[in-house]
């Protein structure tokens, strides 16, 4: 497969440069000024927004409309003015543009998650899909969160993914790896797993995680603006 580059913007935001296009995911902040050179470049830019939370969606993305080939956004993130290249999506929807095929899967919070096919590569961005187990919640609420998560995973089970962006949130403490572990147990990730939505300390995978998923390549960005080249 063709090579690619991934830039960490902030939080759950990433820029992925492929051979013939640029994908922007859940743009929240860009303190390292990664995005402007790509907006000024020649490759078409496609923007993805999983949901309307402020740490995943900023309306400034629509200021780039003259330079953006397509938007694939949850319906709650619609622009204030009509733009022909905007695809408003809900879980279960599919859309396409040029060489991209995009499906929106579900979430266990707001909005949805994205499965994107580009030539021979499949990319998954989870948005806020995760096993949101919180020590401060009662058992009934945590069981409901678990059941909702596994119901969403059932829709993805067995679907091979090359590159996956997935939440590994420090606020969950002992439950931090539960969601990503259950995801990897059901969804084959072949090229790369990229954790996101850290909300705290950078993830250092536990011994149990590294032993169980030793064959899954990992990239854990250290700071905003970090880049991986493959």
């Amino acid at each position: 497969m063709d090579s690619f580059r991934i830039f960490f913007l902030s939080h759950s935001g990433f820029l992925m440069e492929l051979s013939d296009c640029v994908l922007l995911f859940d743009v929240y902040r860009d303190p390292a000024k990664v995005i402007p050179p790509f907006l000024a470049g020649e490759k078409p830019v496609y923007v993805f927004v999983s949901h309307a939370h402020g740490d995943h969606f900023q309306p400034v993305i629509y200021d780039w409309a003259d330079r953006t080939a397509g938007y694939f956004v949850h319906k709650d993130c619609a622009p204030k003015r009509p733009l022909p290249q905007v695809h408003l999506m809900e879980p279960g929807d599919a859309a396409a543009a040029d060489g991209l095929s995009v499906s929106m899967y579900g979430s266990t919070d707001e909005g949805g998650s994205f499965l994107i096919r580009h030539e021979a590569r499949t990319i998954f961005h989870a948005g806020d899909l995760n096993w949101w187990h919180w020590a401060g919640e009662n058992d009934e609420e945590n069981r409901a969160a678990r059941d909702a998560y596994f119901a969403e995973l059932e829709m993805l089970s067995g679907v091979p993914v090359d590159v996956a962006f997935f939440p590994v949130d420090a606020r969950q403490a002992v439950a931090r790896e539960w969601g990503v572990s259950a995801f990897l147990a059901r969804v084959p990730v072949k090229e790369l797993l990229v954790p996101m939505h850290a909300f705290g300390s950078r993830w250092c995978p536990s011994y149990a995680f590294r032993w169980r998923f030793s064959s899954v390549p990992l990239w854990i960005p250290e700071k905003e603006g970090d880049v991986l080249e493959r």
Side-chain angles (χ1 to χ4, degrees), residues 91-159:
D93 288 349
D98 300 322
L100 295 178
S101 174
V102 180
S103 298
M104 178 168 272
Y105 281 78
S107 175
T108 43
D109 198 333
E110 297 293 327
S113 50
F114 288 107
L115 186 74
I116 302 148
R117 292 182 172 87
H118 172 268
E119 296 181 350
R121 181 174 281 120
T122 302
I123 301 154
F124 183 74
H125 189 285
D128 269 359
L129 173 66
N130 194 14
W131 183 348
W132 296 112
H133 179 99
W134 302 105
E137 302 288 351
N138 62 48
D139 289 348
E140 182 178 355
E141 289 170 323
N142 275 325
R143 279 194 293 269
R146 177 200 61 194
D147 293 346
Y149 179 60
F150 280 93
E152 293 296 339
L153 277 192
E154 187 64 27
M155 305 292 290
L156 286 161
S157 184
V159 177

Side-chain angles (χ1 to χ4, degrees), residues 24-211:
L24 275 171
F25 295 103
D26 281 9
V27 175
Y28 163 46
R29 298 172 62 243
D30 180 23
K33 307 298 183 189
V34 170
I35 297 172
F38 289 95
L39 293 177
E42 296 182 356
K43 291 183 180 180
V45 176
Y46 298 91
V47 180
F48 298 81
V49 183
S50 64
H51 63 289
H53 286 169
D55 58 344
H56 293 256
F57 167 57
Q58 293 296 320
V60 69
I61 63 171
Y62 293 120
D63 292 346
W64 311 331
D66 290 345
R67 178 59 191 91
T68 304
Y71 293 90
F72 300 89
V73 305
H74 188 264
K75 66 179 181 64
D76 293 343
C77 306
K80 292 183 178 179
R81 58 190 174 95
L83 293 171
Q85 70 270 48
V86 173
H87 302 267
L88 299 179
M89 303 183 73
E90 296 182 85
D93 288 349
D98 300 322
L100 295 178
S101 174
V102 180
S103 298
M104 178 168 272
Y105 281 78
S107 175
T108 43
D109 198 333
E110 297 293 327
S113 50
F114 288 107
L115 186 74
I116 302 148
R117 292 182 172 87
H118 172 268
E119 296 181 350
R121 181 174 281 120
T122 302
I123 301 154
F124 183 74
H125 189 285
D128 269 359
L129 173 66
N130 194 14
W131 183 348
W132 296 112
H133 179 99
W134 302 105
E137 302 288 351
N138 62 48
D139 289 348
E140 182 178 355
E141 289 170 323
N142 275 325
R143 279 194 293 269
R146 177 200 61 194
D147 293 346
Y149 179 60
F150 280 93
E152 293 296 339
L153 277 192
E154 187 64 27
M155 305 292 290
L156 286 161
S157 184
V159 177
V161 170
D162 295 298
V163 178
F165 301 89
F166 202 91
V168 186
D169 195 314
R171 299 173 300 170
Q172 292 188 270
V174 68
R176 184 176 195 178
E177 295 178 349
W178 291 6
V180 70
S181 296
F183 175 77
L184 292 175
R186 289 158 179 79
V187 178
V189 175
K190 298 182 285 186
E191 276 190 275
L192 190 67
L193 171 71
V194 184
M196 62 183 188
H197 207 277
F199 261 125
S201 61
R202 180 173 178 259
W203 179 40
C204 180
S206 67
Y207 177 80
F209 182 92
R210 288 185 284 114
W211 180 259

